[in-house]
Amino acid sequence: MTKDQKEAVNDIFRDFKKPFASYRLIQGDVGSGKTIVTLLAIYAAITAGEQVSFMAPTELLAMQHYQFFTTHLKSCRIALLSGKTKRKEQMKESIKNHEFDLVIGTHALIEEDVIFSNLGLVVIDEQHKFGVSTRDELISKAHAKDVIYLTATPIPRTLAMIAFGDSHVSIIKEKPVNRKPVETIYIQKNKIEELYHSIDSAILRNEHVFLVVPAIDSDHVTDNIDTVYEEIYGKFNCPIFVLHGRLPNDEKEKMMENFIYTPGSILLATTMIEVGIDIPTATLIGIYAAEHFGLSQLHQLRGRVGRSDLNSTCYLISEKEDVERLELLSKINDGFKLSEFDLIQRGPGDFLGTDQSGYFKFNFLDLLTDYHILIEAQKNVSSLISKPDFKTNPAYKYLNKYMTESLKI
């Protein structure tokens, strides 16, 4: 394991030893090995006699996690609960009777009749993909409420600290030694033949190729599912699979499975493949209309390749001259550095989504340069609330009132 992975595991185990429930955010850059860290945490909880739930945002990701954990935790009883689960009622009864140690699933885990016997650890993958209420509904089923949030979307440290407190964030930056950096090449659309030559070579090597577009069909974007499919159909001697949000769930899963089990094939997709898809033989990704994506999202998409010791390449294709921003990506492979550029360019509201933007409207605080001020403020708060007379001293009356009202929200 890398040093960062070991430190994250130690952070989690320190949390477990505390006499109260803990919430920890594990931030891991793409390909940094968050899953093995999570596996050790899950195994610890199971050997302590507790159940674990693991919620993923899509059935495809839930299935991938199920395959990973059943392969590596052979002595544990593991269930997969999703919309497609057969004999669902029987499985729910088994979960209630603690016949499963680990239950991996989608939103199906929050259904009222999913009752755990002794749920001690909740793991939520790609936590920003779920609403707050969805996450809370699952957490409320746990007796001890230890929670691990996972994200491959690098969040600038100041934002993570505001959301979780500095002591509850573990960051995994190092990549395992068997991962090679992805070569990133920025080209304009009139040089697309360069990408086509690379696709031919990858197909000859029996490797997987991703082609990503920002839309299914759009007047605002020239390169979409329809137009790019027309461009590449018949050009390559290999199967082409198409994946986008309008397909029924069954078809999405079938399309992805067919792609995974067909070496030497192309998957043309929207950003549905942004997180979690782990195919060691995927070595080439072309991202069309790259100027329509943020740097962090491009970095996430790039992370679909380079997941083994094979040489991997990412092509950023644009019709516009977006040289400075896209060439930045070709020089920087660190998602955390890129996230800071994104924060400068797009602001915290755009970076984290509209739901969170209201939390970050500061008059004077600069989220990139004022980290030391936040640390000092956190120390002051900790010092204040640890005072024996904090709740009774009239000097803290208004602070107490504000904190009490905030907790009710």
Side-chain angles (χ1 to χ4, degrees):
M1 294 179 77
T2 65
K3 182 172 174 284
D4 284 354
Q5 284 177 314
K6 288 175 184 175
E7 285 182 4
V9 171
N10 287 334
D11 286 342
I12 292 166
F13 275 64
R14 277 191 285 269
D15 290 344
F16 285 167
K17 290 176 181 178
K18 290 173 183 172
F20 50 83
S22 65
Y23 290 68
R24 178 161 295 279
L25 173 68
I26 305 286
Q27 284 196 81
D29 204 352
V30 286
S32 61
K34 292 182 302 300
T35 315
I36 198 72
V37 168
T38 312
L39 179 143
L40 293 171
I42 288 171
Y43 188 60
I46 290 171
T47 53
E50 296 181 331
Q51 285 179 300
V52 180
S53 65
F54 189 117
M55 186 162 69
T58 66
E59 291 199 3
L60 188 65
L61 275 176
M63 172 63 79
Q64 193 162 290
H65 284 306
Y66 176 76
Q67 289 169 346
F68 176 83
F69 287 114
T70 50
T71 301
H72 292 90
L73 294 177
K74 295 187 187 297
S75 63
C76 301
R77 302 166 298 176
I78 304 173
L80 176 64
L81 183 65
S82 70
K84 289 176 68 177
T85 301
K86 293 175 182 175
R87 299 180 180 172
K88 197 178 283 186
E89 297 310 313
Q90 187 178 327
M91 181 174 284
K92 288 175 182 177
E93 192 63 29
S94 298
I95 293 168
K96 187 178 178 181
N97 294 330
H98 203 152
E99 291 170 25
F100 290 109
D101 304 306
L102 168 61
V103 184
I104 298 167
T106 55
H107 290 75
L109 290 172
I110 70 168
E111 291 173 8
E112 273 187 38
D113 58 346
V114 178
I115 300 165
F116 292 86
S117 163
N118 186 29
L119 183 57
L121 175 63
V122 174
V123 181
I124 298 175
D125 192 21
E126 291 305 324
Q127 57 93 23
H128 60 284
K129 301 277 185 184
F130 297 101
V132 174
S133 59
T134 301
R135 301 196 302 252
D136 286 350
E137 280 183 60
L138 179 57
I139 293 165
S140 68
K141 295 173 186 262
H143 72 90
K145 299 185 176 63
D146 273 337
V147 182
I148 296 173
Y149 297 104
L150 303 174
T151 183
T153 304
I155 303 169
R157 186 134 191 212
T158 42
L159 296 188
M161 182 190 166
I162 290 167
F164 281 81
D166 188 55
S167 60
H168 301 293
V169 180
S170 299
I171 296 175
I172 307 175
K173 284 188 176 183
E174 295 171 273
K175 306 286 173 69
V177 289
N178 67 330
R179 299 279 172 94
K180 286 188 178 178
V182 178
E183 182 186 9
T184 304
I185 301 168
Y186 163 59
I187 60 171
Q188 288 190 260
K189 186 68 187 287
N190 58 11
K191 294 183 179 175
I192 196 73
E193 288 296 327
E194 187 179 333
L195 170 64
Y196 292 165
H197 289 313
S198 294
I199 293 173
D200 280 327
S201 300
I203 298 305
L204 279 173
R205 295 191 301 268
N206 243 14
E207 294 167 359
H208 289 85
V209 176
F210 289 105
L211 295 179
V212 180
V213 294
I216 301 170
D217 49 17
S218 171
D219 296 332
H220 307 294
V221 184
T222 308
D223 292 320
N224 53 53
I225 289 283
D226 295 340
T227 58
V228 173
Y229 185 79
E230 280 180 31
E231 284 177 29
I232 66 173
Y233 181 74
K235 193 176 282 288
F236 305 103
N237 185 27
C238 71
I240 298 173
F241 302 101
V242 180
L243 183 67
H244 56 74
R246 286 187 200 155
L247 294 173
N249 283 338
D250 285 359
E251 210 170 318
K252 286 179 200 167
E253 299 240 344
K254 188 177 178 185
M255 198 67 69
M256 197 69 213
E257 279 180 27
N258 287 342
F259 172 62
I260 290 169
Y261 295 113
T262 310
S265 63
I266 295 171
L267 180 71
L268 172 61
T270 54
T271 55
M272 289 184 67
I273 56 119
E274 183 184 345
V275 292
I277 308 303
D278 190 352
I279 306 171
T281 50
T283 60
L284 180 63
I285 183 167
I287 305 170
Y288 286 78
E291 71 275 10
H292 289 275
F293 300 96
L295 286 173
S296 290
Q297 191 172 30
L298 288 169
H299 181 63
Q300 290 301 308
L301 290 166
R302 173 169 64 180
R304 295 315 99 216
V305 299
R307 306 187 77 84
S308 68
D309 59 355
L310 298 171
N311 292 323
S312 297
T313 310
C314 169
Y315 280 90
L316 305 171
I317 306 132
S318 174
E319 289 194 350
K320 297 182 179 179
E321 288 193 16
D322 195 22
V323 177
E324 186 181 354
R325 200 173 68 90
L326 294 181
E327 283 201 348
L328 191 68
L329 202 76
S330 66
K331 294 171 186 170
I332 297 175
N333 214 28
D334 183 334
F336 292 92
K337 283 183 184 173
L338 290 169
S339 73
E340 292 194 352
F341 283 108
D342 247 359
L343 182 63
I344 293 166
Q345 289 189 327
R346 300 164 70 191
D350 285 339
F351 183 79
L352 288 177
T354 53
D355 287 348
Q356 289 95 347
S357 61
Y359 293 106
F360 301 105
K361 289 176 181 173
F362 302 113
N363 289 327
F364 303 105
L365 188 73
D366 185 312
L367 288 169
L368 287 175
T369 60
D370 292 337
Y371 180 69
H372 65 286
I373 295 174
L374 287 168
I375 291 287
E376 191 60 35
Q378 188 187 52
K379 286 178 185 172
N380 292 342
V381 170
S382 297
S383 173
L384 268 178
I385 62 176
S386 62
K387 288 178 183 284
D389 64 341
F390 176 66
K391 290 190 176 178
T392 56
N393 191 326
Y396 310 132
K397 175 183 173 183
Y398 292 104
L399 181 57
N400 257 307
K401 183 172 182 279
Y402 180 81
M403 287 176 67
T404 305
E405 288 174 356
S406 297
L407 289 169
K408 287 177 184 174
I409 294 171

